[in-house]
Amino acid sequence: QAQLVESGGGLVQAGDSLRLSCAASGRTFSGYAMGWFRQAPGKEREFVAGISRSIGRTYYADSGKGRFTISRDNVKKTVYLQKNSLKPEGTDVYYCAATDRVTSRVSNDYDYWGQGTQVTVSS
């Protein structure tokens, strides 16, 4: 079973850049497709970005296209999420997740989840 640990969250200011990291252990990292999800208070978890296993093909939610960049380092067993020029969106929890599928935008397809890292964007 994979274990995922997110980091890089915290309090940031609108206009700043955000870079989250997710370190993985367990099953061969390159064998998982990885995804990032976020959840606002009182709302359902939503897909943000994904990256396929091994070859690292990226894909995004329509609302996030051009706003987020996902990448992975199979040597470091880490997946990243980058966003520039943040808007004041309040507080969200970002989760990384791993799936045996090649790609997926659906949270139920992901088998392993990190505990999340909280991001607060202030004006």
Side-chain angles (χ1 to χ4, degrees):
Q1 184 174 353
Q3 297 184 33
L4 308 175
V5 180
E6 302 97 337
S7 62
L11 177 63
V12 297
Q13 194 171 49
D16 289 350
S17 297
L18 173 71
R19 185 176 175 86
L20 303 178
S21 299
C22 175
S25 62
R27 180 180 173 182
T28 303
F29 176 73
S30 61
Y32 293 112
M34 303 296 296
W36 283 98
F37 295 78
R38 69 179 177 183
Q39 186 169 25
K43 296 184 178 180
E44 294 184 356
R45 187 169 51 195
E46 64 177 357
F47 173 78
V48 176
I51 185 165
S52 68
R53 60 192 183 194
S54 187
I55 63 173
R57 176 168 50 86
T58 62
Y59 52 100
Y60 302 89
D62 289 340
S63 61
K65 187 176 182 180
R67 302 172 61 195
F68 292 95
T69 301
I70 186 172
S71 60
R72 68 187 297 161
D73 186 329
N74 290 334
V75 175
K76 295 181 178 180
K77 296 184 178 181
T78 302
V79 62
Y80 305 94
L81 183 69
Q82 175 77 36
K83 184 180 180 181
N84 298 321
S85 300
L86 292 168
K87 296 180 179 180
E89 299 174 339
T91 299
D92 299 299
V93 178
Y94 284 76
Y95 299 90
C96 68
T99 178
D100 290 332
R101 293 176 177 263
V102 177
T103 60
S104 179
R105 300 171 181 265
V106 180
S107 62
N108 286 344
D109 288 339
Y110 286 80
D111 302 302
Y112 309 108
W113 293 82
Q115 295 301 305
T117 183
Q118 184 171 283
V119 177
T120 300
V121 184
S122 62
S123 60

